Amino acid sequence: MSADWRDLLNREIFPFVEYEGYDDKYPTKNIELIQPELAEELRYVSGVLFGAFQRAVAVCQKCGDNFLEDLEIPPQLIPYLQKDNPLHLASWLSRFDYVVDKQGNFHMVEINADTPCAVIEAYYGNMVACTHFGVEDPNYGEYDKLCNWLNEIFLASEPGVSISTGRFHRRHPFLFSCFHDYQEDYATTKFLMNAMKKNALATEVDDAITFVSFYDLAVWRDGSILLPDGRTANAIYRLHPLEILIEERTPEGETLGKDFMDGYLHDKFMMFNPPEAIIMQSKAFQALVWALNNQPAGTAQVFTAEESAVISRYMLPSYFARDFDQRNIAAGSSWIKKPIWGREGAGIEVLDRDGVRFGKNVDTEDIVRRDSRDSMYQLFVDQQPYEADTDSGRLTGYKTLSCFMLGKNPSALYARFSPDQIAGTEAYWLPLGLM
C-alpha cells in the first residue's frame, strides 16, 4: 500500500494533483469522515433549494428585464434567457457550497450553476481516497448516475438517436470544448466527455461525441458551430463562463460571443449548461431569493412551505446593496460584501462596526471574471475551525462542504479546506468518507 494515497490518483484523469506555482499537492493527505446523516441532510437541502431556485429563475424570466438587470446580467445576454431548453431546467450540472458555523450547522453560501468544477475530485478522486483509507464512500454509485444523466442530455440533443444502439448523427456531433491550455478545465471537460461516452456501445462514439479546443472552433455564417473537419456541432458543453463568452471578439473585432448566442437562439445547437444558468450564477440571485421568501403577509408566495422553511434555515440573510440597512452592521453583526461577479474570493470584504474586519487579497491577473458594478451583502458566518494535513504540515483553517446536482437530483459530495475563512485559489481538496 502506498504511504501517500495521492500517489494512487491517475494523473491522466487527474493531472492537476500537482499544480504549477504551488509547493503543496492540491489534495490533503488526510480524509475527513462525516456522519451518514450529514451526507443525507446535505443532499436533502440541496434538492429542496434547487427546486426553489428553479422557481426564482422562472420569476426572473417572466418579470422582464428589470429583475435581470438587478442581478447584473450582461444586457447582451438578456435576449437569450427566455428560451426554454429540452430538459426544462435552468442548470443541468451545478454545485451548492456550504460553510459550517461554530455550532456545526451548515449554511449555503453559493451555487455554481454555469461552469462548476471539482467534478473529477468528487466523482473519481473521492473513490480512490476512500478505497485507500478503507472507509465507505459517500459518493458510491454517483459516477454511474452522472453517466446516466449525461446519457439523458445526449438524447435530448438529438431526438430519435440512441447512445446505446449507435444511432448517432455523426455529421453533427455532441461537442465538448474549453481552452485546452488550461489544465483543470481541459481535464474536467474530457472527464465529462468520457462519462457521456461510457454508455455508448457503438464504434462511432468518438465521432458522435468529440472534443475540440475553443481555439479551433468557428461560428459559421448561419450561426452553426464549425469544427475543423467541416462538421457542425449539434450540442456543446462549454467550460467557459457565459458572462465572459458573450463579450468575446475575434482578433478582427467580430462579435464572436453574440454570433455564438444567436446560433443557439435560432436552434443551430443545444448548449450545456443552458444560458439561463447565468441567472442562478449571479451572486445577487441569493438576495432575490431571500427577498421573495420574505415578502409581506398577503403577498402571493413563490415557494412551497417546505422550500420556504429550508431557505429560512439554511440560507443566510442576503440583500442587494440598495436594500441593505447599514444599521445591521452598527448593531454588531458582521456582514460579507461580495462583488456580484467575483470569483476565487476576489474583492470580498467582511465588515463590522469597526469597518473592514478582513478581506481577500487575490492576484486577479489569472482569474477569468467579469467586473462587477455593485456588490451584495450577506450575513457573515464565523466558521468552525478545522485541521488538515498538507505537504506544509498540519494547518488550521476551515472547510467548505458541497453537493453536486444532476439536474434537480442531488449527487456527489465534495469538500475543500482553506487556511482562510474566505476560500480562494489556495484552497485544498479534502476527500470525504463516511463514519
Side-chain angles (χ1 to χ4, degrees):
M1 180 180 289
S2 170
D4 188 338
W5 76 270
R6 300 170 299 178
D7 294 338
L8 303 174
L9 292 164
N10 185 333
R11 294 328 194 251
E12 290 187 6
I13 299 172
F14 197 155
F16 50 98
V17 172
E18 296 84 10
Y19 225 111
E20 185 178 356
Y22 293 86
D23 294 332
D24 290 4
K25 289 184 172 68
Y26 167 46
T28 61
K29 291 184 173 182
N30 65 301
I31 189 170
E32 165 73 346
L33 299 183
I34 61 174
Q35 295 282 358
E37 294 79 12
L38 175 59
E40 184 178 338
E41 186 180 5
L42 280 166
R43 290 189 169 107
Y44 165 73
V45 170
S46 298
V48 175
L49 285 178
F50 187 88
F53 282 21
Q54 180 78 14
R55 293 180 196 275
V57 168
V59 169
C60 289
Q61 291 173 313
K62 292 174 184 174
C63 292
D65 294 358
N66 289 342
F67 271 73
L68 297 171
E69 289 169 1
D70 277 345
L71 303 181
E72 280 195 29
I73 301 297
Q76 312 96 298
L77 272 178
I78 290 177
Y80 308 104
L81 303 182
Q82 307 297 333
K83 179 182 172 66
D84 195 17
N85 65 70
L87 298 175
H88 312 296
L89 294 167
S91 180
W92 302 349
L93 177 65
S94 59
R95 194 191 78 223
F96 282 103
D97 293 340
Y98 301 86
V99 295
V100 183
D101 67 23
K102 290 186 174 179
Q103 290 71 45
N105 303 309
F106 62 87
H107 306 272
M108 197 279 292
V109 292
E110 190 166 346
I111 181 171
N112 297 274
D114 186 35
T115 55
C117 289
V119 173
I120 298 173
E121 295 92 310
Y123 288 93
Y124 162 71
N126 208 75
M127 173 270 296
V128 175
C130 288
T131 300
H132 172 82
F133 287 102
V135 298
E136 188 177 351
D137 184 1
N139 297 338
Y140 178 78
E142 294 301 331
Y143 177 71
D144 289 338
K145 292 179 182 177
L146 173 66
C147 295
N148 291 337
W149 176 235
L150 293 172
N151 185 1
E152 290 187 41
I153 291 173
F154 178 88
L155 297 179
S157 73
E158 183 69 35
V161 304
S162 170
I163 199 171
S164 59
T165 64
R167 288 169 53 211
F168 293 121
H169 205 320
R170 297 175 61 191
R171 290 176 56 195
H172 305 290
F174 197 115
L175 173 66
F176 283 78
S177 190
C178 67
F179 291 110
H180 72 273
D181 51 1
Y182 184 28
Q183 187 181 55
E184 184 177 353
D185 281 7
Y186 184 42
T188 300
T189 303
K190 288 198 302 179
F191 183 83
L192 288 169
M193 178 182 70
N194 289 329
M196 181 179 278
K197 288 181 178 182
K198 182 173 181 288
N199 290 329
L201 303 178
T203 56
E204 300 90 348
V205 65
D206 289 333
D207 287 331
I209 303 170
T210 191
F211 175 86
V212 178
S213 174
F214 273 141
Y215 292 119
D216 299 323
L217 295 177
V219 179
W220 197 234
R221 61 176 67 94
D222 68 350
S224 299
I225 300 173
L226 184 64
L227 279 63
D229 61 10
R231 295 185 296 167
T232 57
N234 192 47
I236 181 172
Y237 167 83
R238 40 105 203 144
L239 190 45
H240 188 44
L242 199 61
E243 74 271 16
I244 304 296
L245 176 62
I246 188 61
E247 295 187 346
E248 299 280 10
R249 289 179 176 267
T250 66
E252 294 74 33
E254 297 174 347
T255 55
L256 180 63
K258 182 181 182 303
D259 295 346
F260 176 86
M261 293 306 300
D262 283 345
Y264 168 79
L265 188 64
H266 295 112
D267 297 317
K268 298 301 180 182
F269 55 89
M270 186 182 81
M271 197 186 309
F272 167 24
N273 273 309
E276 55 268 37
I278 197 70
I279 299 174
M280 289 188 191
Q281 186 72 35
S282 166
K283 288 185 170 58
F285 181 74
Q286 291 185 57
L288 173 65
V289 171
W290 190 259
L292 291 173
N293 196 49
N294 290 275
Q295 296 184 95
T299 306
Q301 298 303 303
V302 173
F303 306 117
T304 66
E306 181 184 31
E307 290 166 350
S308 181
V310 167
I311 290 169
S312 297
R313 179 175 174 184
Y314 293 96
M315 288 187 68
L316 293 164
S318 304
Y319 300 96
F320 294 102
R322 66 167 185 271
D323 298 330
F324 182 69
D325 190 338
Q326 294 291 331
R327 288 176 295 183
N328 289 323
I329 295 176
S333 300
S334 294
W335 292 80
I336 190 164
K337 183 180 178 183
K338 300 180 180 180
I340 287 175
W341 291 113
R343 288 179 179 264
E344 304 293 353
I348 288 180
E349 295 179 331
V350 176
L351 311 174
D352 62 18
R353 64 175 61 180
D354 297 321
V356 178
R357 179 172 161 187
F358 62 86
K360 186 71 176 178
N361 294 318
V362 176
D363 182 358
T364 59
E365 184 175 337
D366 295 327
I367 298 175
V368 178
R369 67 189 182 107
R370 181 182 179 85
D371 291 334
S372 304
R373 293 196 313 270
D374 213 337
S375 299
M376 57 86 73
Y377 289 80
Q378 189 173 70
L379 187 66
F380 176 69
V381 174
D382 264 324
Q383 297 174 55
Q384 188 178 71
Y386 177 79
E387 292 186 345
D389 294 320
T390 73
D391 292 314
S392 294
R394 176 160 282 235
L395 301 179
T396 299
Y398 310 90
K399 65 182 176 185
T400 303
L401 299 171
S402 302
C403 180
F404 279 91
M405 299 293 300
L406 304 179
K408 61 183 178 181
N409 297 311
S411 183
L413 304 181
Y414 158 78
R416 59 183 172 172
F417 165 79
S418 172
D420 299 326
Q421 290 217 49
I422 303 171
T425 57
E426 81 295 335
Y428 298 81
W429 162 46
L430 174 66
L432 295 174
L434 292 179
M435 289 183 176

